Amino acid sequence: MSAGPVSRVRRTLRVESASAGQRLDQALAQAWPEFSRGCIQRWIEAGQVLVDGAPRRCRDRVWGHEAVALDAELVAVGRDSPQAIPLAVVYEDAMLLVIDKPAGLVVHPAAGNPDGTLLNALLHHAPGLAAVPRAGIVHRLDKDTSGLLVVAKTLQAHCSLVAQLKERTVHREYRALVVGELAGGGSVAAPIGRHPTQRTRMAVVPDGRAALTRYRVLERYPGHCLLGVELATGRTHQIRVHLAHVRHPLVGDPVYGVRPRPPKGCAPALVAAIQGFGRQALHAVRLGLEHPETGRPMAWEVPLAADLESLLELFRREAARGTDPT
């Protein structure tokens, strides 16, 4: 593997009390999701991470409130190859790239998806992203969640967006089609962490990280609702876990959902559409943030993905059929 561009990375943080008892590398990987755990481990082993002013080992435990300082060189390694994968670019300038991610596109390469990912597409679209952590990806959408995602094109933009996400000033709004009928809007404040026995899943657990999801009802259908959902925090699978926790899982969710059971008497086309919807019915519809260079508020909105819009149209027809007095 060949080395690429070199950039200087500096970060400071105060370890959260929720991380008490974790390994240092684990706690930092959670606090700095823009860097891989392997990258963080290399920095720790090289003495480029100081905890309360002193170097530590990866396996050393943290207990909360320690002051951590990182001063390291980020070397882009030629492991992830650029690939000519089409991108739906919503906005682009020298600092930012906003895309409308389709369902089915994995964000980062992993064991099951070594290439063909958003990261590979980004490196082809803007080769300079090789010098930015994780090719500028500062937040994620699950493989089968569609919609808006922002990418930092420079280290300055990267630092700004990471800070905005941490300060919870990035506005992210979703559309979610859920099972069950809700009386009104509300919020879910419940800590999220790894499932105690199924490690590939997340769950609401007492020792998880604080998470807050707000929702409102936009449309009601037989046995289902369309919600507008806003994230106050950004935990892994947060919307999917929180809505399942309050017994209103997303339609089509293969991990946290329920077996599709369309209401009795539904039109055959709607029954088939519900049972055949092959992903979680979740779309990131709006994104708002401050421009990293000018500080100017910016916002984007995209239409719903075609598959979700088609399913909703069938639900609307069914709702209209149910209210037709004839």
Side-chain angles (χ1 to χ4, degrees), residues 115-250:
D115 57 14
T117 70
L118 174 62
L119 186 145
N120 300 108
L122 290 171
L123 292 175
H124 180 271
H125 178 84
L129 288 171
V132 184
R134 292 186 184 255
I137 299 169
V138 294
H139 69 114
R140 302 184 187 187
L141 293 178
D142 295 335
K143 173 186 175 182
D144 288 325
T145 297
S146 53
L148 288 168
L149 185 145
V150 64
V151 175
K153 294 180 68 177
T154 68
L155 278 177
Q156 177 187 346
H158 187 272
C159 291
S160 173
L161 293 179
V162 169
Q164 291 183 54
L165 286 164
K166 187 174 183 179
E167 294 164 6
R168 302 181 183 178
T169 57
V170 175
H171 177 75
R172 291 170 288 173
E173 184 174 345
Y174 295 73
R175 293 291 179 266
L177 178 62
V178 301
V179 176
E181 299 179 10
L182 291 91
S187 62
V188 185
I192 292 177
R194 287 288 169 191
H195 192 284
T197 59
Q198 302 175 46
R199 303 305 291 174
T200 59
R201 298 180 52 168
M202 307 302 288
V204 170
V205 291
D207 58 348
R209 303 182 73 192
L212 174 61
T213 304
R214 301 184 180 94
Y215 63 88
R216 65 189 192 281
V217 179
L218 300 178
E219 298 181 25
R220 291 183 173 86
Y221 318 114
H224 298 76
C225 285
L226 177 66
L227 305 182
V229 182
E230 297 183 20
L231 286 177
T233 53
R235 310 307 179 205
T236 301
H237 297 177
Q238 179 174 320
I239 293 175
R240 300 165 64 189
V241 171
H242 270 176
L243 292 177
H245 180 67
V246 296
R247 295 182 174 83
H248 292 287
L250 291 166

Side-chain angles (χ1 to χ4, degrees), residues 1-304:
M1 294 185 292
S2 59
V6 178
S7 304
R8 200 79 193 169
V9 179
R10 294 182 176 89
R11 294 280 194 281
T12 59
L13 66 81
R14 183 74 62 175
V15 176
E16 295 182 358
S17 57
S19 298
Q22 292 183 345
R23 288 170 52 112
L24 175 61
D25 57 349
Q26 179 185 7
L28 295 185
Q30 291 181 355
W32 294 325
E34 64 271 25
F35 303 119
S36 70
R37 187 167 177 178
C39 184
I40 289 171
Q41 288 172 338
R42 289 193 294 273
W43 288 335
I44 294 171
E45 291 166 357
Q48 296 171 320
V49 174
L50 301 181
V51 180
D52 291 333
R56 299 282 183 87
R57 299 168 298 180
C58 293
R59 66 175 182 269
D60 288 342
R61 303 289 171 175
V62 294
W63 302 105
H65 308 292
E66 293 96 336
V68 178
L70 166 68
D71 186 352
E73 286 186 347
L74 178 72
V75 181
V77 179
R79 176 180 55 188
D80 298 312
S81 59
Q83 293 178 309
I85 299 168
L87 291 175
V89 177
V90 177
Y91 174 84
E92 185 171 13
D93 63 19
M95 294 285 229
L96 297 177
L97 175 62
V98 179
I99 68 163
D100 185 359
K101 188 188 87 67
L105 180 62
V106 175
V107 172
H108 290 112
N113 300 96
D115 57 14
T117 70
L118 174 62
L119 186 145
N120 300 108
L122 290 171
L123 292 175
H124 180 271
H125 178 84
L129 288 171
V132 184
R134 292 186 184 255
I137 299 169
V138 294
H139 69 114
R140 302 184 187 187
L141 293 178
D142 295 335
K143 173 186 175 182
D144 288 325
T145 297
S146 53
L148 288 168
L149 185 145
V150 64
V151 175
K153 294 180 68 177
T154 68
L155 278 177
Q156 177 187 346
H158 187 272
C159 291
S160 173
L161 293 179
V162 169
Q164 291 183 54
L165 286 164
K166 187 174 183 179
E167 294 164 6
R168 302 181 183 178
T169 57
V170 175
H171 177 75
R172 291 170 288 173
E173 184 174 345
Y174 295 73
R175 293 291 179 266
L177 178 62
V178 301
V179 176
E181 299 179 10
L182 291 91
S187 62
V188 185
I192 292 177
R194 287 288 169 191
H195 192 284
T197 59
Q198 302 175 46
R199 303 305 291 174
T200 59
R201 298 180 52 168
M202 307 302 288
V204 170
V205 291
D207 58 348
R209 303 182 73 192
L212 174 61
T213 304
R214 301 184 180 94
Y215 63 88
R216 65 189 192 281
V217 179
L218 300 178
E219 298 181 25
R220 291 183 173 86
Y221 318 114
H224 298 76
C225 285
L226 177 66
L227 305 182
V229 182
E230 297 183 20
L231 286 177
T233 53
R235 310 307 179 205
T236 301
H237 297 177
Q238 179 174 320
I239 293 175
R240 300 165 64 189
V241 171
H242 270 176
L243 292 177
H245 180 67
V246 296
R247 295 182 174 83
H248 292 287
L250 291 166
V251 168
D253 193 326
V255 178
Y256 306 102
V258 295
R259 183 178 179 181
R261 292 182 180 177
K264 291 182 180 179
C266 277
L270 177 57
V271 173
I274 294 172
Q275 294 177 340
F277 199 74
R279 67 176 182 101
Q280 62 264 13
L282 185 63
H283 180 83
V285 68
R286 290 195 184 102
L287 175 68
L289 50 84
E290 291 185 358
H291 192 276
E293 186 173 40
T294 66
R296 179 167 61 94
M298 304 188 75
W300 302 271
E301 182 172 351
V302 291
L304 294 181

